[in-house]
Amino acid sequence: MSVEFHRLAASDFDELAVGEAGPELVHRLRATQLSKRLLALRAVLDDAIRLAPGAAAGSGLAHSFEVLADAQRVAADVVGELLLTPGFGMWAMHCLRRMRGAVTSPTSPTSLEDDLAGLGTLAVVAALRTGREAEVTLLVRNDELVLPTLGRYRGVLSGWVRARTVGGELTVRAAGSPERPVPNPLGAREAGQDGTDSGWEPIPMLHSEVTGGRVELRLDYLDPARHLLGLPMTSEVDAEALDLWQQRLDEGWRILWRFDPRAARAIAAGLTTIFPLQATSGATELSASAGEAFGAVAMTLPKDGLACAAALVHEFQHNKLSALLDLVTLFEPVEGRLFYAPWRTDPRPLSGLLQGAYAYLGLMDFWDAQRRVLPEPGYAHFEFARWREEVWRVLVVSRLSGALTPLGLRFLDGMRTVAWRHRQATVPDEPRMLAKQISADAWMTWRLRNAEPAADRVATLVQAWRRGRPAPAGMRVPTGVRPGSRGLVHNARLDLAHLRLNDPKLFAAAREGVPGVLGEDFSPADRAYAFGDFLAAAAAYKQEIADDPDHLGAWAGLALCRRETGQLDHRVLIAHPELVRAVHRGVEELTGDRVDPDDLVAWLPEPAPDETPGGTGL
């Protein structure tokens, strides 16, 4: 197997920098990814023979490699498509990490031999598709033989088996058992059979077409490698759910084509797979991707076509940037430095900061287009206004990091031209105001969760309060950032803002006091804030803090209320809510008293300039 040398034209680089990429450029990126996969496959083989010869021999890794190489000599394009499957990319990098000691047993409960056996199923598919005769060692789990890109056959005994392909036919044999035929998976897929009678279950294909454009995606809920993403994967998709996925893609594809046919063709050229996710209580809507899984989007069933289109745009941006980062260096490592990312609850390294900014750069263009065509454009105005400012904030922080290479600065400048242009656009007052509120909410809540004021300065303030002394004048309180658990920004105030934009009549009825409109999902404090009664909301948030001083949402809500009413004497709460909370907690631990937050804020010194890593204020 051979790889190619790749060069990225300056025009291609600059096109990617502004968030664009036509289908021709996407095909070139796919070619670079194929070379990466070939190198990764060779590295897996070499590392296994050198570092884990026993596991390599037991898994049949070398023989599976030879079967792939034989199939490539017959049909290089067939093997290339298999190597470009997202699952193979994740499998290869996972195996390399295991052999080099970067994966511990809790994240990989199987043996290395079992993991290396994963190449066997890819070799079987290659032999089937090229009509080659081969015999391959496979590991069957849970009585299910899963073949990448093809589907699943149930009823095979779990354990090690020998799979034999002859003329496109497949049989399997366990030790001490007779050979058993497996229904022709290629025939089932090509004929569109559901495999119910034969026991073969093909991977569903979603496809949508408009005049001039078509997209086709595997809805892959079978590939074992998808679990390496660490997300709540769907294990089954029934006929009803499949119909819903098809409807959402049909709606989303029409929206994408109307938005930008060239961008839609690029998505169709680059994406091949959807890994369906389960909705959870913490994330009813979720999408994700990974650099090792180029061509894939993991996502929950979108609520409508607009959500589907937005998720595809967002995740394809990640795919493009990840492919670019395999070719060029945009930034140098910045060990230990974490930054505020407006779309996440946890601090992020610079790499994650740029990935998110690039994804939302694409969504800026998307929402700018939608706000011009949707009959009720309020939500699109809101998303556009919110992300144009948040991306700009991240680009400023990234430049100030000092970690960008000359190419990284050039790339950042391309992103800045797009963000700056969008910042000049006019947005109606209501969605613009809500976007500012939600941005401030996310920033304050992030600080409360992740910013950590210096313990010695907090202790000094607590002692001064206890002794009835004035707060030390001019005291600066350095703030660090502690790593937090990953999560997306979501709270009741954001839900209420969405309701106001998406169903203004229902929101108006709730504001007028119509009973039962909002149910029990929202607290009195959050309702009052959403309705613009900031004094009542502040009083309610203070009560929540009195009941539970660790209620981060209440602290953020109180700070938001003071910000909205323009109370300058509460600047320390608005700029450094984490400091107020830390002193509040310290006083209670020392004295047993729960101090009135307003009394504490009035006593604390004026805030110093923001020293939080990644901080740019509000």
Side-chain angles (χ1 to χ4, degrees):
M1 294 185 176
S2 61
V3 297
E4 300 177 7
F5 290 96
H6 300 278
R7 291 183 179 274
L8 185 70
S11 58
D12 287 346
F13 181 88
D14 291 336
E15 184 178 357
L16 287 166
V18 296
E20 298 178 1
E24 301 83 6
L25 175 51
V26 171
H27 284 301
R28 290 194 287 277
L29 291 178
R30 279 179 57 83
T32 68
Q33 287 296 295
L34 177 56
S35 290
K36 176 186 174 183
R37 301 289 177 82
L38 287 166
L39 289 168
L41 177 56
R42 184 75 238 187
V44 169
L45 181 64
D46 291 346
D47 276 13
I49 293 172
R50 179 172 56 92
L51 301 174
S59 67
L61 179 70
H63 182 66
S64 294
F65 180 90
E66 290 303 324
V67 171
L68 278 169
D70 177 62
Q72 187 195 44
R73 286 188 284 270
V74 175
D77 56 336
V78 170
V79 175
E81 287 301 314
L82 289 174
L83 295 179
L84 278 170
T85 55
F88 172 76
M90 291 187 287
W91 169 86
M93 297 308 296
H94 171 73
C95 289
L96 288 174
R97 290 193 188 97
R98 286 208 68 178
M99 289 185 286
R100 298 178 187 190
V103 174
T104 56
S105 56
T107 53
S108 185
T110 59
S111 69
L112 177 59
E113 183 178 353
D114 290 359
D115 276 346
L116 292 175
L119 188 64
T121 56
L122 204 73
V124 166
V125 176
L128 284 170
R129 287 190 169 172
T130 56
R132 306 298 286 175
E133 183 173 341
E135 190 166 337
V136 180
T137 298
L138 296 181
L139 177 60
V140 176
R141 295 184 175 94
N142 303 318
D143 296 332
E144 295 179 349
L145 173 62
V146 177
L147 297 181
T149 73
L150 297 182
R152 168 173 64 187
Y153 180 62
R154 288 173 162 159
V156 179
L157 294 177
S158 294
W160 294 95
V161 302
R162 295 290 288 176
R164 188 164 64 93
T165 65
V166 178
E169 299 293 331
L170 174 63
T171 58
V172 294
R173 175 173 54 83
S177 300
E179 196 168 59
R180 300 174 57 184
V182 175
N184 184 356
L186 293 178
R189 181 177 184 272
E190 291 166 0
Q193 299 168 8
D194 62 12
T196 301
D197 295 331
S198 67
W200 180 260
E201 182 182 349
I203 296 173
M205 298 297 297
L206 304 175
H207 51 83
S208 291
E209 190 165 1
V210 295
T211 303
R214 176 182 174 85
V215 64
E216 187 171 271
L217 298 168
R218 281 187 295 272
L219 188 65
D220 194 344
Y221 57 93
L222 297 177
D223 192 331
R226 74 196 195 282
H227 293 293
L228 294 172
L229 289 172
L231 296 169
M233 291 291 168
T234 296
S235 57
E236 302 289 341
V237 175
D238 60 23
E240 182 179 358
L242 181 59
D243 286 344
L244 286 174
W245 275 103
Q246 184 63 61
Q247 291 173 27
R248 299 294 187 268
L249 182 62
D250 287 341
E251 296 164 3
W253 184 243
R254 286 194 293 270
I255 291 170
L256 286 174
W257 193 260
R258 182 183 63 194
F259 157 54
D260 186 339
R262 183 169 179 264
R265 283 195 294 268
I267 289 174
L271 295 183
T272 61
T273 306
I274 292 176
F275 293 131
L277 298 177
Q278 293 179 352
T280 66
S281 58
T284 56
E285 286 189 275
L286 177 65
S287 68
S289 53
E292 297 162 3
F294 182 88
V297 174
M299 59 193 291
T300 52
L301 176 67
K303 65 180 180 181
D304 53 31
L306 192 64
C308 179
L312 293 177
V313 169
H314 181 112
E315 300 306 335
F316 189 55
Q317 287 286 99
H318 285 309
N319 273 252
K320 290 188 295 184
L321 182 54
S322 294
L324 176 65
L325 289 172
D326 286 332
L327 299 172
V328 300
T329 301
L330 299 183
F331 52 86
E332 301 296 344
V334 281
E335 294 297 329
R337 294 179 62 186
L338 297 172
F339 301 87
Y340 169 61
W343 45 86
R344 292 284 291 262
T345 61
D346 54 317
R348 301 291 291 154
L350 184 61
S351 58
L353 205 62
L354 285 176
Q355 277 282 2
Y358 192 68
Y360 283 102
L361 188 80
L363 281 179
M364 269 194 283
D365 281 335
F366 177 78
W367 289 119
D368 188 34
Q370 299 314 308
R371 70 197 190 104
R372 302 171 193 279
V373 299
L374 291 176
E376 298 291 340
Y379 180 75
H381 281 305
F382 166 79
E383 290 290 292
F384 173 74
R386 180 184 177 191
W387 296 118
R388 67 176 181 176
E389 298 303 326
E390 297 290 38
V391 168
W392 184 261
R393 175 203 293 255
V394 167
L395 295 180
V396 170
V397 170
S398 300
R399 179 173 284 275
L400 293 175
S401 72
L404 295 177
T405 64
L407 275 179
L409 290 171
R410 177 170 173 169
F411 193 80
L412 195 76
D413 285 342
M415 295 176 66
R416 282 165 57 93
T417 60
V418 178
W420 179 256
R421 170 170 52 83
H422 284 314
R423 292 183 82 214
Q424 310 312 305
T426 301
V427 177
D429 290 343
E430 183 180 54
R432 189 176 72 252
M433 175 269 294
L434 289 173
K436 287 182 177 179
Q437 287 183 348
I438 293 303
S439 293
D441 194 349
W443 169 241
M444 291 174 182
T445 304
W446 184 90
R447 293 195 70 105
L448 286 159
R449 178 176 284 110
N450 303 295
E452 193 168 65
D456 59 334
R457 306 296 174 86
V458 171
T460 298
L461 290 167
V462 169
Q463 289 291 347
W465 173 272
R466 180 193 179 198
R467 293 167 182 166
R469 295 176 180 174
M475 174 183 281
R476 298 174 69 89
V477 183
T479 303
V481 173
R482 56 178 176 266
S485 57
R486 60 184 295 183
L488 300 176
V489 172
H490 180 264
N491 60 33
R493 289 183 289 266
L494 178 59
D495 286 341
L496 285 165
H498 286 170
L499 178 66
R500 179 172 180 171
L501 294 161
N502 291 322
D503 198 338
K505 291 183 179 179
L506 184 66
F507 182 83
R511 182 161 50 187
E512 291 167 6
V514 176
V517 172
L518 295 182
E520 302 299 323
D521 296 334
F522 303 104
S523 70
D526 288 337
R527 294 178 188 226
Y529 179 80
F531 299 156
D533 190 348
F534 301 121
L535 293 178
Y541 284 129
K542 285 180 64 175
Q543 184 58 55
E544 290 182 359
I545 293 170
D547 294 338
D548 179 8
D550 291 327
H551 189 334
L552 301 188
W555 280 106
L558 179 60
L560 288 166
C561 290
R562 301 312 188 201
R563 176 181 178 273
E564 290 294 335
T565 53
Q567 293 175 255
L568 297 180
D569 56 338
H570 281 72
R571 278 182 297 188
V572 66
L573 176 64
I574 297 167
H576 295 280
E578 76 286 349
L579 175 60
V580 181
R581 177 173 174 258
V583 176
H584 186 274
R585 171 186 285 174
V587 170
E588 181 176 4
E589 290 175 351
L590 188 64
T591 67
D593 297 331
R594 287 189 178 175
V595 183
D596 184 305
D598 285 332
D599 292 342
L600 190 58
V601 168
W603 175 82
L604 282 167
E606 285 289 305
D610 191 359
E611 298 177 18
T612 309
T616 59
L618 293 168

